Amino acid sequence: MIRDFEQLMNEAIKKGPKRLVVAAAGDREVLKAVKLAIDNKLVEAVLVDDRDIIKSVARDIDIDMNKVEIVNVSNKLEACEKAVQLLSSGQGDILMKGLIDTSIIMKAVLNKEFGLRSGELISHITMIESRVLKRLLFVTDGGINIKPSLEEKKDIIRNAVNVAIKLGYEKPKVAVIAAIEKINSAMPETIEAAALAKMSDRGQISGAIIDGPLAIDNALSEEAARIKGIESAVAGKADILLAPEIIAGNILGKSPIYFAGDRIATIIGGTSKPVVLTSRANTADIKLISIAATVLMA
Amino acid sequence: MIRDFEQLMNEAIKKGPKRLVVAAAGDREVLKAVKLAIDNKLVEAVLVDDRDIIKSVARDIDIDMNKVEIVNVSNKLEACEKAVQLLSSGQGDILMKGLIDTSIIMKAVLNKEFGLRSGELISHITMIESRVLKRLLFVTDGGINIKPSLEEKKDIIRNAVNVAIKLGYEKPKVAVIAAIEKINSAMPETIEAAALAKMSDRGQISGAIIDGPLAIDNALSEEAARIKGIESAVAGKADILLAPEIIAGNILGKSPIYFAGDRIATIIGGTSKPVVLTSRANTADIKLISIAATVLMA
């Protein structure tokens, strides 16, 4: 079971190199991460963008052009479509978003003809390396599904569980987060949390131990759960935190960066091939960790 | 302007002692905090609960019974009502919640005959002492208003602004938090955030600089705001974070405790007298800080 990003990198290096296809690769921070991934033997890279832009940025950061393949395209939209097509035709293992809006690359990923749909719901997963808690946390969904239904929450959990299992978690513990740990009909997410916990009991969701509703304190701290008198196999020991909607997931996944100085990695679940979907605000270091995580999933 | 809890304690000590009325005071953690507050000359205390229970707990933690007044009641509900009545009849400056459910004490606080209504919306405010950001953050509302309307959000902002002003913030910066910093009609909170920002521009909310929608990264990090190209007087410098609903506020206010080891204090805004509303899971240290904050507001 992987407990921190150093261990994640080491495991990914053992499994690499995989073939990484980068859509709209002509960006300094993106290519810095790709260079680090190549140097660590995590990947071989296919860079899809305007050839001249790639070459000019690459010179700047001293990337060895013998180790990358360039696919020349004339605009960002074409870059996304071409990159996704390379993946779906078997010419790559991992898709990475370069300097392009998430909505544009996601449109290509979701394309019905050549996209990376697996028939499952696509969801967003943030991995947090918590220095204080000394373990990894998976937060979902803070980036794609705005207000998921009960059925969609079930799929979002399954995607995160699949990622955790690939990272060596035998039976990950899922906390369905709400503002309180009691059922309250004024907060419908507490009712859906109870339903998800019971779906787990009844075998409707497998491979994980699911409990909820749990407030964030009960989910993360055994002491807080004890004080509240909560008996739960998940309380205080959660691996995966399911947020009731995007805003809560977004806050939960990002605030450890700013409040704790923690590192995070972001990936996509539910696609036929793994996708690295980092933000422009992420450093090359964070992008590298995200690549390493997808290498373990490829 | 108060930047950390040590400074907050020092300022409160200068302003004390105030008269603290504790509803359902017969609890070890509650009385430990009260003892610390008395020893620091922050307060004189009126303890409302069963006299025998108070005496037995007090002996245990070595509280000087000459410095407290006991008001004997026979049950927890009566303790809440009596404590609130003491406040509203002018026999106390600050109300503190002891070992009792929040809903029960809030019912007494909101009582139309003897409660602590000021005519304003009552709201929950968490103060975070961020060690990484090296400043205080005010998060609202993670504890009372489940899904506030636009008008209620305006009131929630005003309550938090009033608290910040009492703590020396001249014109606090308010970030209205969403999952993204752009307006998106699939996320109605982004539209309401824009409305709140414009209400501030038009003078409909005064005493603060308000901007939104901002994602948590843009609100807290100038670097993240710069990368996203956001021009805003609030981005990266927010003092007050307004959450769109209780679940987001609850996560935002609590997760720095577990991810960063930060200390927090929780208070109530909009009442005629300040209220300390800590949770059973809070330590005596956190309860003490919350008392100190209300001393500055009394």
Side-chain angles (χ1 to χ4, degrees), chain A residues 128 130 132-133 137 146-147 177-179 186-187 189 215-217 220-221 224 227-228 241 244-248 250-252 254-256 258-262 279-281, chain B residues 128 130 132-133 137 146-147 177-179 186-187 189 215-217 220-221 224 227-228 241 244-248 250-252 254-256 258-262 279-281:
Chain A
I128 304 166
S130 172
V132 167
L133 295 169
L137 271 298
I146 294 174
K147 212 173 162 52
I177 302 294
M187 303 181 194
E189 66 272 20
I216 190 68
D217 46 347
L220 295 179
S221 157
I227 291 170
K228 288 271 174 83
L241 305 173
E245 48 185 79
I246 196 168
I247 169 69
N250 197 271
I251 288 173
L252 195 44
K254 283 176 179 171
S255 60
Y258 303 101
F259 282 108
D262 283 342
S279 138
R280 277 170 293 169
Chain B
I128 302 165
S130 172
V132 167
L133 295 168
L137 272 297
I146 294 174
K147 213 174 162 50
I177 301 296
M187 303 182 195
E189 67 271 20
I216 190 69
D217 46 347
L220 295 179
S221 158
I227 291 170
K228 288 273 174 83
L241 306 173
E245 47 186 81
I246 197 169
I247 169 71
N250 197 271
I251 288 173
L252 196 44
K254 283 176 178 169
S255 60
Y258 303 101
F259 282 108
D262 283 342
S279 136
R280 278 170 292 168

Coordinates of all heavy atoms in Angstrom, one line a residue, chain A residues 128 130 132-133 137 146-147 177-179 186-187 189 215-217 220-221 224 227-228 241 244-248 250-252 254-256 258-262 279-281, chain B residues 128 130 132-133 137 146-147 177-179 186-187 189 215-217 220-221 224 227-228 241 244-248 250-252 254-256 258-262 279-281:
Chain A
I128 N -4.0 13.4 -2.1 CA -3.3 14.3 -1.2 C -2.2 13.5 -0.4 O -2.6 12.5 0.2 CB -4.3 15.0 -0.2 CG1 -5.4 15.7 -0.9 CG2 -3.5 15.9 0.8 CD1 -6.5 16.1 0.0
S130 N -0.7 13.8 2.7 CA -0.8 14.6 4.0 C 0.4 14.4 4.9 O 0.6 13.3 5.4 CB -2.1 14.2 4.7 OG -2.1 14.9 6.0
V132 N 0.8 15.8 7.8 CA 0.4 15.7 9.2 C -0.2 14.3 9.5 O 0.1 13.7 10.5 CB -0.6 16.9 9.6 CG1 -1.3 16.6 10.9 CG2 0.1 18.2 9.6
L133 N -1.1 13.9 8.6 CA -1.7 12.6 8.8 C -0.8 11.4 8.4 O -1.1 10.3 8.7 CB -3.0 12.5 8.0 CG -4.1 13.5 8.4 CD1 -5.3 13.5 7.4 CD2 -4.7 13.1 9.8
L137 N -4.6 10.5 0.9 CA -6.0 10.6 0.9 C -6.4 10.8 -0.5 O -5.8 11.6 -1.2 CB -6.5 11.8 1.7 CG -6.8 11.8 3.2 CD1 -7.9 10.8 3.5 CD2 -5.5 11.5 4.0
I146 N -20.6 18.1 -11.2 CA -21.0 19.2 -10.4 C -21.9 18.9 -9.2 O -21.6 19.2 -8.0 CB -21.7 20.3 -11.3 CG1 -20.7 20.8 -12.3 CG2 -22.3 21.4 -10.4 CD1 -21.3 21.7 -13.3
K147 N -23.0 18.1 -9.5 CA -23.9 17.8 -8.4 C -24.4 16.4 -8.7 O -25.5 16.1 -9.2 CB -25.1 18.8 -8.4 CG -25.7 19.0 -7.1 CD -26.8 20.1 -7.1 CE -27.6 20.1 -5.9 NZ -26.9 20.1 -4.6
I177 N -18.8 12.1 2.9 CA -18.7 13.3 3.8 C -19.9 14.2 3.7 O -20.5 14.4 2.7 CB -17.5 14.2 3.3 CG1 -16.2 13.4 3.4 CG2 -17.4 15.5 4.2 CD1 -15.7 13.0 4.8
A178 N -20.3 14.7 4.9 CA -21.4 15.6 5.0 C -21.0 16.6 6.1 O -19.9 16.6 6.6 CB -22.7 14.9 5.4
A179 N -21.9 17.6 6.4 CA -21.5 18.6 7.4 C -21.7 18.0 8.8 O -21.1 18.4 9.8 CB -22.4 19.8 7.3
A186 N -33.0 17.9 6.3 CA -32.7 19.3 5.8 C -31.4 19.2 5.0 O -31.1 20.2 4.2 CB -32.6 20.3 6.9
M187 N -30.6 18.2 5.1 CA -29.3 18.0 4.3 C -29.4 16.7 3.6 O -29.0 15.6 4.1 CB -28.1 18.0 5.3 CG -28.0 19.2 6.2 SD -26.6 19.1 7.3 CE -26.9 20.4 8.4
E189 N -27.8 15.3 1.4 CA -26.5 14.5 1.3 C -26.3 13.6 2.4 O -25.6 12.6 2.3 CB -25.3 15.4 1.1 CG -24.9 16.3 2.3 CD -25.7 17.7 2.3 OE1 -26.7 17.8 1.6 OE2 -25.1 18.6 3.0
A215 N -18.7 13.7 9.2 CA -18.2 15.0 9.0 C -16.7 14.8 8.8 O -16.1 13.8 9.2 CB -18.5 15.9 10.2
I216 N -16.0 15.8 8.3 CA -14.6 15.7 8.0 C -13.7 15.4 9.2 O -12.8 14.6 9.1 CB -14.1 17.0 7.2 CG1 -12.7 16.7 6.7 CG2 -14.1 18.2 8.1 CD1 -12.6 15.7 5.5
D217 N -14.1 15.9 10.4 CA -13.4 15.6 11.6 C -13.5 14.1 12.0 O -12.5 13.4 12.3 CB -13.7 16.5 12.7 CG -15.2 16.7 12.9 OD1 -16.0 16.3 12.0 OD2 -15.6 17.2 14.0
L220 N -11.4 11.9 9.5 CA -10.0 11.9 9.5 C -9.4 11.6 10.9 O -8.2 11.2 11.0 CB -9.5 13.3 9.1 CG -9.8 13.7 7.6 CD1 -9.2 15.1 7.3 CD2 -9.1 12.6 6.7
S221 N -10.1 11.9 12.0 CA -9.6 11.8 13.3 C -10.3 10.7 14.2 O -11.5 10.8 14.4 CB -9.6 13.1 14.0 OG -9.6 13.0 15.4
A224 N -11.7 12.4 17.3 CA -12.9 13.2 17.1 C -14.1 12.2 17.0 O -15.2 12.4 17.5 CB -12.8 14.0 15.8
I227 N -14.9 10.9 20.5 CA -15.6 11.9 21.3 C -17.1 12.0 20.9 O -18.0 12.1 21.8 CB -15.0 13.3 21.2 CG1 -13.6 13.3 21.9 CG2 -15.8 14.4 21.8 CD1 -12.7 14.5 21.7
K228 N -17.4 11.8 19.7 CA -18.8 11.9 19.2 C -19.5 10.5 19.4 O -20.6 10.4 19.0 CB -18.8 12.3 17.7 CG -18.5 13.8 17.5 CD -19.7 14.6 17.5 CE -19.4 16.1 17.4 NZ -19.3 16.6 16.0
L241 N -12.3 10.1 0.4 CA -13.3 11.0 0.9 C -14.2 11.4 -0.3 O -13.8 12.0 -1.2 CB -12.7 12.3 1.5 CG -11.6 12.1 2.5 CD1 -10.9 13.4 2.9 CD2 -12.2 11.5 3.8
P244 N -20.0 15.6 -1.4 CA -21.4 15.5 -1.9 C -21.6 16.3 -3.2 O -22.4 15.9 -4.0 CB -22.3 16.1 -0.8 CG -21.3 16.9 0.0 CD -20.0 16.3 -0.1
E245 N -20.7 17.3 -3.4 CA -20.8 18.0 -4.7 C -19.5 18.7 -5.0 O -18.6 18.7 -4.2 CB -22.0 18.9 -4.8 CG -22.1 19.8 -3.6 CD -23.4 20.6 -3.7 OE1 -24.5 20.1 -3.4 OE2 -23.3 21.8 -4.0
I246 N -19.3 19.3 -6.2 CA -18.0 19.7 -6.7 C -17.4 20.7 -5.8 O -16.2 20.7 -5.6 CB -18.2 20.2 -8.2 CG1 -16.8 20.3 -8.8 CG2 -18.9 21.5 -8.2 CD1 -16.9 20.5 -10.3
I247 N -18.2 21.7 -5.2 CA -17.6 22.8 -4.5 C -16.9 22.2 -3.2 O -15.8 22.6 -2.9 CB -18.6 23.9 -4.1 CG1 -18.1 24.9 -3.1 CG2 -19.9 23.3 -3.7 CD1 -17.0 25.7 -3.6
A248 N -17.6 21.3 -2.5 CA -17.0 20.6 -1.3 C -15.7 19.8 -1.7 O -14.7 19.9 -1.0 CB -18.0 19.8 -0.6
N250 N -13.8 20.3 -4.3 CA -12.8 21.2 -4.8 C -12.0 21.8 -3.6 O -10.8 21.9 -3.6 CB -13.4 22.3 -5.6 CG -12.5 23.1 -6.5 OD1 -11.9 24.1 -6.0 ND2 -12.2 22.6 -7.7
I251 N -12.8 22.3 -2.6 CA -12.1 22.8 -1.4 C -11.3 21.8 -0.7 O -10.2 22.0 -0.3 CB -13.3 23.4 -0.4 CG1 -13.9 24.6 -1.0 CG2 -12.7 23.6 1.0 CD1 -15.1 25.1 -0.2
L252 N -11.9 20.6 -0.5 CA -11.2 19.5 0.2 C -9.9 19.1 -0.5 O -8.9 18.8 0.2 CB -12.2 18.3 0.3 CG -11.9 17.2 1.3 CD1 -11.5 17.7 2.7 CD2 -13.2 16.4 1.4
K254 N -8.1 21.0 -2.6 CA -7.1 22.0 -2.8 C -6.6 22.6 -1.5 O -5.4 23.1 -1.4 CB -7.7 23.2 -3.6 CG -7.8 22.9 -5.1 CD -8.5 24.0 -5.8 CE -8.6 23.9 -7.3 NZ -9.5 24.9 -7.9
S255 N -7.4 22.7 -0.5 CA -7.0 23.5 0.7 C -5.8 22.9 1.4 O -5.0 23.7 2.0 CB -8.2 23.8 1.6 OG -8.7 22.6 2.1
P256 N -5.5 21.6 1.4 CA -4.3 21.1 2.0 C -3.0 21.7 1.4 O -2.0 21.8 2.1 CB -4.3 19.6 1.8 CG -5.8 19.3 1.8 CD -6.4 20.5 1.0
Y258 N -2.6 24.8 0.4 CA -2.4 26.2 1.0 C -2.4 26.2 2.5 O -1.6 27.0 3.0 CB -3.5 27.1 0.4 CG -3.5 27.1 -1.1 CD1 -4.4 26.3 -1.8 CD2 -2.4 27.7 -1.8 CE1 -4.3 26.2 -3.2 CE2 -2.3 27.6 -3.2 CZ -3.3 26.8 -3.9 OH -3.1 26.7 -5.2
F259 N -3.1 25.4 3.2 CA -3.1 25.4 4.6 C -2.0 24.6 5.2 O -1.4 24.9 6.2 CB -4.4 24.9 5.2 CG -5.5 26.0 5.2 CD1 -6.6 25.9 4.3 CD2 -5.5 27.1 6.0 CE1 -7.6 26.8 4.2 CE2 -6.5 28.0 6.0 CZ -7.5 27.9 5.1
A260 N -1.6 23.5 4.5 CA -0.6 22.6 5.0 C 0.7 22.5 4.2 O 1.6 21.8 4.7 CB -1.3 21.2 5.2
G261 N 0.7 23.1 3.1 CA 1.9 23.0 2.2 C 2.0 21.6 1.6 O 3.1 21.1 1.3
D262 N 0.9 20.8 1.6 CA 0.9 19.4 1.1 C 1.0 19.4 -0.4 O 0.7 20.4 -1.1 CB -0.3 18.7 1.5 CG -0.3 18.3 2.9 OD1 0.8 18.2 3.5 OD2 -1.4 18.0 3.5
S279 N -3.6 21.3 -13.4 CA -4.0 22.6 -13.7 C -2.8 23.5 -14.0 O -1.7 23.1 -13.6 CB -4.8 23.2 -12.4 OG -4.4 24.5 -12.1
R280 N -3.0 24.6 -14.7 CA -1.9 25.5 -15.0 C -1.2 25.9 -13.7 O 0.0 26.2 -13.7 CB -2.4 26.8 -15.7 CG -2.6 26.6 -17.2 CD -3.3 27.8 -17.7 NE -4.7 27.8 -17.2 CZ -5.5 28.8 -17.4 NH1 -5.1 29.9 -18.0 NH2 -6.8 28.8 -16.9
A281 N -2.0 26.0 -12.6 CA -1.4 26.5 -11.3 C -0.5 25.4 -10.6 O 0.2 25.7 -9.7 CB -2.5 26.9 -10.4
Chain B
I128 N -9.5 30.5 11.7 CA -8.4 29.6 11.6 C -7.1 30.4 11.7 O -6.9 31.4 11.1 CB -8.4 29.0 10.2 CG1 -9.7 28.2 9.9 CG2 -7.2 28.0 10.0 CD1 -9.9 27.9 8.4
S130 N -3.8 30.1 10.6 CA -3.0 29.3 9.6 C -1.5 29.5 9.8 O -1.0 30.6 9.7 CB -3.4 29.7 8.2 OG -2.5 29.1 7.3
V132 N 0.8 28.0 8.0 CA 1.5 28.1 6.7 C 1.3 29.5 6.1 O 2.2 30.2 5.6 CB 1.0 27.0 5.8 CG1 1.4 27.3 4.3 CG2 1.5 25.6 6.2
L133 N 0.0 30.0 6.2 CA -0.3 31.3 5.6 C 0.1 32.5 6.5 O 0.1 33.6 6.1 CB -1.8 31.4 5.2 CG -2.3 30.4 4.1 CD1 -3.8 30.4 4.1 CD2 -1.7 30.8 2.8
L137 N -7.8 33.4 9.2 CA -8.8 33.3 8.2 C -10.1 33.2 8.9 O -10.2 32.4 9.9 CB -8.6 32.1 7.3 CG -7.7 32.2 6.0 CD1 -8.3 33.2 5.0 CD2 -6.3 32.5 6.3
I146 N -27.8 26.2 6.5 CA -27.5 25.0 5.6 C -27.3 25.4 4.2 O -26.4 25.0 3.6 CB -28.7 24.0 5.8 CG1 -28.7 23.4 7.2 CG2 -28.5 22.8 4.8 CD1 -29.8 22.5 7.5
K147 N -28.3 26.1 3.6 CA -28.2 26.5 2.2 C -28.7 27.9 2.1 O -29.8 28.2 1.6 CB -29.1 25.5 1.4 CG -28.6 25.2 0.0 CD -29.4 24.2 -0.7 CE -29.2 24.2 -2.2 NZ -27.8 24.2 -2.6
I177 N -16.5 32.0 -2.2 CA -15.9 30.8 -2.7 C -16.8 30.0 -3.6 O -18.0 29.8 -3.3 CB -15.4 29.9 -1.6 CG1 -14.4 30.7 -0.7 CG2 -14.7 28.6 -2.1 CD1 -13.1 31.1 -1.4
A178 N -16.3 29.5 -4.7 CA -17.0 28.5 -5.6 C -15.9 27.5 -6.0 O -14.8 27.5 -5.6 CB -17.6 29.2 -6.8
A179 N -16.4 26.6 -6.9 CA -15.4 25.6 -7.4 C -14.5 26.2 -8.5 O -13.4 25.7 -8.8 CB -16.1 24.3 -7.9
A186 N -24.3 26.4 -14.6 CA -24.5 25.0 -14.0 C -24.2 25.1 -12.6 O -24.4 24.1 -11.8 CB -23.7 24.0 -14.8
M187 N -23.5 26.1 -12.1 CA -23.1 26.2 -10.7 C -23.7 27.6 -10.2 O -23.0 28.6 -10.3 CB -21.6 26.3 -10.5 CG -20.9 25.0 -11.1 SD -19.1 25.1 -10.8 CE -18.5 23.8 -11.9
E189 N -24.0 29.0 -7.5 CA -23.2 29.7 -6.5 C -22.3 30.7 -7.2 O -21.9 31.7 -6.5 CB -22.5 28.8 -5.5 CG -21.4 27.9 -6.1 CD -21.9 26.6 -6.6 OE1 -23.2 26.5 -6.9 OE2 -21.1 25.7 -6.8
A215 N -12.1 30.4 -6.7 CA -11.9 29.1 -6.1 C -10.9 29.2 -4.9 O -10.3 30.3 -4.8 CB -11.2 28.2 -7.2
I216 N -10.8 28.2 -4.1 CA -10.0 28.4 -2.9 C -8.6 28.7 -3.2 O -7.9 29.4 -2.4 CB -10.2 27.1 -2.0 CG1 -9.6 27.3 -0.6 CG2 -9.6 25.8 -2.6 CD1 -10.4 28.3 0.2
D217 N -8.0 28.1 -4.3 CA -6.6 28.4 -4.6 C -6.4 29.9 -5.0 O -5.5 30.6 -4.5 CB -6.1 27.5 -5.7 CG -7.0 27.4 -6.9 OD1 -8.2 27.7 -6.8 OD2 -6.6 26.8 -7.9
L220 N -6.7 32.1 -1.7 CA -5.6 32.1 -0.7 C -4.2 32.3 -1.3 O -3.3 32.8 -0.6 CB -5.6 30.7 -0.1 CG -6.8 30.3 0.8 CD1 -6.7 28.9 1.3 CD2 -7.0 31.3 1.9
S221 N -4.0 32.1 -2.6 CA -2.7 32.2 -3.1 C -2.6 33.3 -4.3 O -3.2 33.1 -5.3 CB -2.2 30.8 -3.7 OG -1.2 30.9 -4.6
A224 N -1.4 31.5 -7.4 CA -2.5 30.8 -8.2 C -3.3 31.8 -8.9 O -3.7 31.6 -10.1 CB -3.3 30.0 -7.2
I227 N -1.4 33.1 -12.0 CA -1.3 32.1 -13.1 C -2.7 32.1 -13.9 O -2.7 32.0 -15.1 CB -1.0 30.7 -12.6 CG1 0.5 30.7 -12.1 CG2 -1.2 29.6 -13.6 CD1 0.9 29.5 -11.3
K228 N -3.8 32.2 -13.1 CA -5.1 32.2 -13.8 C -5.4 33.5 -14.4 O -6.5 33.7 -15.0 CB -6.2 31.8 -12.8 CG -6.1 30.3 -12.4 CD -7.0 29.4 -13.3 CE -6.8 28.0 -13.0 NZ -7.7 27.5 -12.0
L241 N -13.7 33.9 4.1 CA -14.0 33.0 3.1 C -15.5 32.7 3.3 O -15.9 32.1 4.3 CB -13.2 31.7 3.1 CG -11.7 31.9 3.1 CD1 -11.0 30.6 3.4 CD2 -11.2 32.5 1.8
P244 N -20.5 28.6 -0.1 CA -21.9 28.7 -0.6 C -22.9 27.9 0.2 O -24.1 28.3 0.1 CB -21.7 28.1 -2.0 CG -20.4 27.2 -2.0 CD -19.6 27.9 -1.0
E245 N -22.5 26.9 0.9 CA -23.4 26.2 1.8 C -22.7 25.5 2.9 O -21.4 25.5 2.9 CB -24.3 25.3 1.0 CG -23.6 24.4 0.0 CD -24.6 23.6 -0.8 OE1 -25.1 24.1 -1.8 OE2 -24.8 22.4 -0.5
I246 N -23.4 24.9 3.8 CA -22.8 24.5 5.1 C -21.8 23.4 4.9 O -20.7 23.4 5.6 CB -24.0 24.0 6.1 CG1 -23.5 23.9 7.5 CG2 -24.6 22.6 5.6 CD1 -24.6 23.6 8.5
I247 N -22.0 22.5 4.0 CA -21.0 21.4 3.8 C -19.6 21.9 3.4 O -18.6 21.5 4.0 CB -21.5 20.3 2.9 CG1 -20.4 19.3 2.5 CG2 -22.1 20.8 1.6 CD1 -20.0 18.4 3.6
A248 N -19.6 22.9 2.5 CA -18.3 23.5 2.1 C -17.7 24.3 3.2 O -16.5 24.2 3.4 CB -18.5 24.4 0.8
N250 N -18.2 23.8 6.4 CA -17.8 22.8 7.4 C -16.4 22.2 7.1 O -15.5 22.2 8.0 CB -18.9 21.8 7.6 CG -18.8 21.0 8.9 OD1 -18.1 20.0 8.9 ND2 -19.4 21.4 9.9
I251 N -16.2 21.8 5.9 CA -15.0 21.2 5.4 C -13.8 22.3 5.5 O -12.8 22.0 6.0 CB -15.1 20.7 4.0 CG1 -15.9 19.4 4.0 CG2 -13.7 20.5 3.4 CD1 -16.3 19.0 2.6
L252 N -14.1 23.5 5.0 CA -13.1 24.5 5.0 C -12.7 24.9 6.4 O -11.5 25.2 6.6 CB -13.7 25.7 4.2 CG -12.9 26.8 3.7 CD1 -11.6 26.3 3.1 CD2 -13.7 27.7 2.7
K254 N -12.9 23.1 9.2 CA -12.3 22.0 10.0 C -11.1 21.4 9.5 O -10.2 20.9 10.2 CB -13.4 20.9 10.2 CG -14.5 21.2 11.2 CD -15.5 20.0 11.2 CE -16.6 20.2 12.2 NZ -17.6 19.2 11.9
S255 N -11.0 21.3 8.1 CA -9.9 20.5 7.6 C -8.5 21.0 7.9 O -7.5 20.2 8.1 CB -10.0 20.2 6.1 OG -10.1 21.4 5.4
P256 N -8.3 22.4 8.1 CA -6.9 22.8 8.5 C -6.5 22.2 9.9 O -5.3 22.1 10.1 CB -7.1 24.3 8.6 CG -8.2 24.7 7.7 CD -9.2 23.5 7.8
Y258 N -6.9 19.1 10.8 CA -6.4 17.7 10.6 C -5.3 17.7 9.6 O -4.4 16.9 9.7 CB -7.6 16.8 10.2 CG -8.6 16.9 11.3 CD1 -9.8 17.6 11.2 CD2 -8.4 16.3 12.5 CE1 -10.7 17.7 12.2 CE2 -9.3 16.4 13.6 CZ -10.4 17.1 13.4 OH -11.3 17.2 14.5
F259 N -5.4 18.5 8.5 CA -4.3 18.5 7.5 C -3.1 19.3 7.9 O -2.0 19.0 7.5 CB -4.9 19.0 6.2 CG -5.7 18.0 5.4 CD1 -7.1 18.1 5.3 CD2 -5.1 16.9 4.9 CE1 -7.8 17.1 4.6 CE2 -5.8 15.9 4.2 CZ -7.2 16.0 4.1
A260 N -3.3 20.4 8.7 CA -2.2 21.3 8.9 C -1.9 21.4 10.4 O -0.9 22.0 10.8 CB -2.6 22.7 8.4
G261 N -2.7 20.8 11.3 CA -2.5 20.9 12.7 C -2.7 22.3 13.2 O -2.2 22.7 14.3
D262 N -3.5 23.1 12.5 CA -3.9 24.4 12.9 C -4.9 24.4 14.0 O -5.6 23.5 14.2 CB -4.5 25.2 11.7 CG -3.5 25.6 10.7 OD1 -2.3 25.7 11.0 OD2 -3.9 25.9 9.5
S279 N -17.4 22.8 20.0 CA -17.8 21.4 19.8 C -17.2 20.5 20.9 O -16.1 20.9 21.4 CB -17.5 20.9 18.4 OG -17.0 19.6 18.5
R280 N -17.8 19.4 21.2 CA -17.3 18.5 22.2 C -15.9 18.0 21.8 O -15.0 17.8 22.6 CB -18.1 17.3 22.4 CG -19.3 17.5 23.3 CD -20.3 16.3 23.2 NE -20.9 16.3 21.9 CZ -21.6 15.2 21.4 NH1 -21.7 14.1 22.1 NH2 -22.2 15.3 20.2
A281 N -15.7 18.0 20.5 CA -14.4 17.5 20.0 C -13.2 18.6 20.1 O -12.1 18.3 20.0 CB -14.5 17.1 18.5

